[in-house]
Amino acid sequence: MSSGRKSRGRQKIEMKKMSNESNLQVTFSKRRSGLFKKASELCTLCGADVALVVFSPGEKVFSFGHPNVDTVIDRYLSRVPPQNNGTMQFIEAHRSANVRELNTQLTQINQLLDIEKKRAEELSHLLNGRDSILVGWSH
């Protein structure tokens, strides 16, 4: 039994500039969006700062940057590591405030739980005392 392929599958394309202007523009648009999507995934998954600047065959400029193109390019040109800017400090302060609020709520809930446990013990003692009194009367 032979595998008898009906198509030749995905063929390797020779890497050279396309001569058909219409095909060139369509291919550029598709590849550009794919490249920007990959750059976005790299930022999201790895926390990388990324900047892409692409010039189309028609000399239009397209860019993608995280956190933004200017910040990444300036950092690259100056070769200075990122500073813990105000945004990061704000996020950290907000996170700390949330943690403090949750800890306060947890403390209050634990206190209520302790009160309810004591109340349950008292009720249990009262019921046990009542039962022993009733047992004594039945004889």
Side-chain angles (χ1 to χ4, degrees):
M1 235 160 78
S2 66
S3 61
R5 291 186 181 175
K6 294 180 180 170
S7 69
R8 297 186 326 168
R10 186 171 177 174
Q11 298 296 305
K12 189 171 184 175
I13 299 171
E14 182 185 352
M15 286 302 215
K16 65 175 186 174
K17 186 173 179 183
M18 301 171 85
S19 56
N20 184 323
E21 287 294 321
S22 177
N23 290 351
L24 183 104
Q25 188 59 43
V26 169
T27 300
F28 172 81
S29 294
K30 287 181 180 180
R31 295 270 177 132
R32 183 194 72 228
S33 63
L35 187 61
F36 286 4
K37 182 177 177 185
K38 288 293 182 188
S40 175
E41 290 172 359
L42 186 63
C43 298
T44 303
L45 297 174
C46 303
D49 290 349
V50 176
L52 290 175
V53 178
V54 181
F55 291 87
S56 74
E59 300 300 318
K60 289 184 181 177
V61 179
F62 298 90
S63 63
F64 169 86
H66 179 80
N68 63 56
V69 175
D70 293 332
T71 301
V72 177
I73 290 175
D74 290 345
R75 188 169 138 213
Y76 173 77
L77 293 174
S78 64
R79 302 207 188 260
V80 175
Q83 301 300 315
N84 193 2
N85 62 17
T87 303
M88 291 306 292
Q89 290 172 348
F90 175 75
I91 291 169
E92 184 60 30
H94 187 67
R95 187 191 67 77
S96 296
N98 283 343
V99 169
R100 282 193 301 273
E101 176 65 27
L102 289 171
N103 281 334
T104 302
Q105 289 176 7
L106 179 61
T107 301
Q108 291 171 348
I109 290 170
N110 281 332
Q111 289 171 349
L112 289 173
L113 181 61
D114 289 342
I115 291 169
E116 291 301 320
K117 283 180 181 178
K118 287 179 185 174
R119 185 178 293 169
E121 280 180 29
E122 291 171 4
L123 286 173
S124 178
H125 287 298
L126 287 173
L127 286 175
N128 286 340
R130 194 188 100 209
D131 288 347
S132 59
I133 291 172
L134 290 176
V135 169
W137 280 13
S138 65
H139 289 110

